[in-house]
Amino acid sequence: MSIDIPPHPWWKPGLDLHRGGDSYAHLLSATRGLLDAVAGVDAPEAVLAEVAGEVSRIAGRLNSYTTSDESQIAGTRMDLPGRGHPLVVPYRTTSWTSVRMTAEVTFTRIHLGDGGAVHGGVTALLFDEVLGRFANHGRQPARTAFLHVNYRRLVPLDVDLDILTKVDRAEGRKLYITAELSHDGTVLADAEGLFVAVSAQ
């Protein structure tokens, strides 16, 4: 599904938003798969040592291409879940207006906290990312000033969940945004964020 998303104010003019092409998308997917595998592993020490060596060699190869944070691919691929950033929970935007955004997300093994539920900190990270991205598209650049999360129910793994984000109100440089994470109409967590526009230098 293609969503018409306004330009991000932090992007620099002329920045190629599809750097790395399909190969970066495949690398990102493989990396997330690796994280899930590590999070759920219980393998013999010899196997772990062998895999650790392989991963270290791969990391070393990529390290030779390390660039500045302004030039990295991660975080700029808006066509990929989670902006193409390996740390960001890979949510998928499904609709977008200036006052309302919807998205879908599926948490996996790397997001497990305890008791089969998603770690609360990961839920907060998702809200900060979604609200922050919404606050910074088609508007003056803003930073998170306040984020409050209510944990209503346990958030499950490996289930498609819905995200609804809305502008609550604007007061000068302050933008108040709310969001809900739900499953089949039941709210699992909700959040309120305050984002303050950055003053012109």
Side-chain angles (χ1 to χ4, degrees):
M1 180 182 296
S2 177
I3 303 298
D4 183 18
I5 299 174
H8 194 296
W10 297 110
W11 290 338
K12 295 184 177 299
L15 181 65
D16 180 6
L17 302 183
H18 297 281
R19 288 168 299 153
D22 290 341
S23 295
Y24 181 79
H26 294 156
L27 173 61
L28 183 66
S29 178
T31 300
R32 287 177 172 146
L34 174 63
L35 293 174
D36 281 330
V38 171
V41 75
D42 181 10
E45 187 172 350
V47 173
L48 297 177
E50 179 183 358
V51 173
E54 294 177 9
V55 172
S56 294
R57 284 189 291 273
I58 292 171
R61 184 177 178 186
L62 290 177
N63 282 338
S64 63
Y65 294 93
T66 298
T67 185
S68 68
D69 59 351
E70 295 180 345
S71 301
Q72 69 184 29
I73 298 174
T76 68
R77 288 290 301 269
M78 308 307 286
D79 58 316
L80 299 177
R83 297 184 291 122
H85 197 298
L87 179 63
V88 174
V89 180
Y91 64 96
R92 305 166 295 280
T93 303
T94 54
S95 71
W96 194 296
T97 70
S98 61
V99 296
R100 186 179 187 274
M101 182 187 79
T102 61
E104 298 174 343
V105 66
T106 306
F107 294 98
T108 58
R109 188 61 178 269
I110 188 63
H111 306 126
L112 176 65
D114 193 15
V118 171
H119 192 295
V122 175
T123 303
L125 174 62
L126 172 69
F127 278 131
D128 191 36
E129 166 64 23
V130 171
L131 270 66
R133 179 179 169 190
F134 190 50
N136 276 285
H137 278 79
R139 301 180 176 88
Q140 184 178 349
R143 296 292 192 187
T144 308
F146 172 83
L147 178 67
H148 178 81
V149 179
N150 295 306
Y151 299 93
R152 307 293 185 184
R153 298 174 182 268
L154 295 181
V155 178
L157 298 179
D158 302 316
V159 174
D160 292 339
L161 306 175
D162 297 311
I163 304 168
L164 171 62
T165 305
K166 297 185 293 185
V167 172
D168 184 56
R169 65 190 187 280
E171 299 174 354
R173 292 171 50 213
K174 297 180 179 180
L175 184 66
Y176 294 86
I177 305 177
T178 58
E180 291 181 348
L181 178 67
S182 62
H183 180 233
D184 288 341
T186 299
V187 176
L188 307 177
D190 57 66
E192 177 185 4
L194 166 61
F195 295 81
V196 178
V198 178
S199 299
Q201 299 296 322

